[in-house]
Amino acid sequence: MHSRSHQAVLIATLFLARTALAQFDPKMPAGVPEVTGSVVENVTMHYIEVVVGTGTPAAPGKQYTVHYTGWLRNGTKFDSSVDRKEPLKFVQGRRLVISGWEVGFEGMKVGGKRRLFIPYQLAYGETGQGSIPPKSELIFDVELLAVTDVPPASPAADILLSFSDSESKVIALAKAVPEDKYSWRPAPGVRSFGEVFVHIVSANQLLMKLASAPSADELKAAFGEQSKLEKQTFPKARIIEMLTESFATVRKSLETARPGTLAQSADFFGTPTTRRGIFVNMDVHIAEHLGQAIAYARMNGITPPWSQ
């Protein structure tokens, strides 16, 4: 698998890694309590610098274009972009690739080539994946072809995509429905046009509260506010304002959310989920009542603006 020169480089790399471990100073800075025990080497990443690149450096958060070939430790080739003649593109730091790749290109420049030796903890872990067995150390030959800027993406970009579509359609339809139709309802006991729009507002507010992990008292108060709001009658202009304000609040929360925040545990009326799960449910709920309002509009001869 390796030439003599590559073997020599690898031996030197391993020696340097062990030397670095031996020189590790466990003494903590002021403010961090001292502990006793032996230093244990857990995960160590090695690589061979095959070709030193001279192009753009592989900076964090950039999009990398790479060619690669991957082998198991027994020499079995399991994947190769070179064979497919299709370079891979990924954005560093977004966990689109295994952890070993996130750090394996550090310090490289375009044109550079490396052989990465990735321990299973930085690859596919104890379970493996597909043709890769559990606890498999992987060997990759990688070549950095390009490094480019990439627009920052919101951690909630997937939710915002459909949320934005529903938001624009709800507002457009609310504006298109004549004032005298806001009290129209298809049957007694069924929400009117105006009540459907107000229900979207109140549900958005309730689900936003639910995503903040409220106490029992806070949740009870939120239910009371929702019930109070939905019993009131508002003119068309005020309902459009309420919809606009409600959507803006949700949008701000999604656009400023961090990945860790969206992954936090939440309770959806007794069902364990995450904050992301609650926002997804909110998006589904808005779409459900948008469909209801569209049906109302068709029954009243009102064409949704985006259908004209």
Side-chain angles (χ1 to χ4, degrees):
M1 179 64 72
H2 312 300
S3 66
R4 290 181 180 274
S5 60
H6 282 177
Q7 288 177 340
V9 174
L10 177 58
I11 290 171
T13 304
L14 291 168
F15 174 78
L16 289 173
R18 292 193 180 97
T19 302
L21 179 66
Q23 295 175 346
F24 173 74
D25 185 359
K27 187 175 181 180
M28 294 293 102
V32 180
E34 295 288 342
V35 296
T36 58
S38 58
V39 176
V40 177
E41 181 181 9
N42 186 13
V43 179
T44 304
M45 178 98 173
H46 303 106
Y47 64 84
I48 297 172
E49 199 79 76
V50 180
V51 175
V52 177
T54 58
T56 306
K62 301 289 187 178
Q63 178 173 271
Y64 300 169
T65 302
V66 306
H67 257 319
Y68 69 91
T69 299
W71 295 271
L72 300 177
R73 252 305 181 180
N74 63 11
T76 300
K77 183 195 295 186
F78 60 85
D79 194 10
S80 175
S81 69
V82 179
D83 293 348
R84 294 192 302 275
K85 299 181 181 180
E86 295 179 359
L88 173 69
K89 294 183 179 181
F90 71 96
V91 179
Q92 194 278 343
R94 291 190 182 173
R95 300 184 179 182
L96 303 175
V97 292
I98 58 176
S99 298
W101 270 45
E102 293 282 17
V103 299
F105 290 85
E106 183 178 351
M108 286 187 77
K109 294 182 178 181
V110 169
K113 296 182 179 180
R114 281 180 180 174
R115 174 161 290 177
L116 308 178
F117 298 85
I118 303 179
Y120 76 87
Q121 297 95 329
L122 301 181
Y124 294 100
E126 298 186 0
T127 59
Q129 179 173 303
S131 62
I132 299 174
K135 291 189 174 182
S136 291
E137 178 187 359
L138 304 181
I139 301 170
F140 280 99
D141 279 355
V142 297
E143 178 182 3
L144 186 58
L145 303 176
V147 174
T148 55
D149 292 330
V150 59
S154 165
D158 52 342
I159 305 173
L160 279 164
L161 181 64
S162 55
F163 173 82
S164 297
D165 182 66
S166 295
E167 174 188 18
S168 64
K169 288 179 177 177
V170 168
I171 297 294
L173 190 56
K175 291 179 179 179
V177 175
E179 178 95 38
D180 62 352
K181 292 293 185 181
Y182 263 63
S183 60
W184 182 90
R185 65 184 77 244
V190 181
R191 288 190 179 101
S192 67
F193 253 126
E195 289 168 349
V196 169
F197 292 135
V198 171
H199 177 65
I200 292 175
V201 172
S202 68
N204 285 354
Q205 294 174 351
L206 177 62
L207 292 172
M208 283 288 291
K209 174 61 72 174
L210 205 61
S212 68
S215 66
D217 288 342
E218 290 173 331
L219 187 57
K220 182 178 179 181
F223 274 119
E225 292 171 5
Q226 181 191 31
S227 177
K228 181 180 178 180
L229 182 64
E230 295 202 26
K231 290 178 180 178
Q232 298 180 62
T233 301
F234 301 94
K236 173 181 175 178
R238 179 54 187 149
I239 290 177
I240 292 174
E241 287 179 357
M242 292 163 61
L243 284 168
T244 303
E245 293 167 0
S246 173
F247 283 128
T249 299
V250 176
R251 173 175 292 280
K252 181 179 179 180
S253 182
L254 287 171
E255 289 179 341
T256 59
R258 300 189 304 273
T261 302
L262 291 172
Q264 288 177 355
S265 298
D267 182 87
F268 186 75
F269 304 113
T271 300
T273 185
T274 61
R275 289 195 69 193
R276 176 182 291 276
I278 290 178
F279 280 115
V280 169
N281 183 273
M282 180 191 298
D283 193 28
V284 171
H285 182 267
I286 294 168
E288 174 188 350
H289 289 287
L290 170 61
Q292 182 181 7
I294 292 172
Y296 282 16
R298 295 295 188 184
M299 294 169 70
N300 283 272
I302 302 169
T303 302
W306 59 90
S307 298
Q308 295 178 353

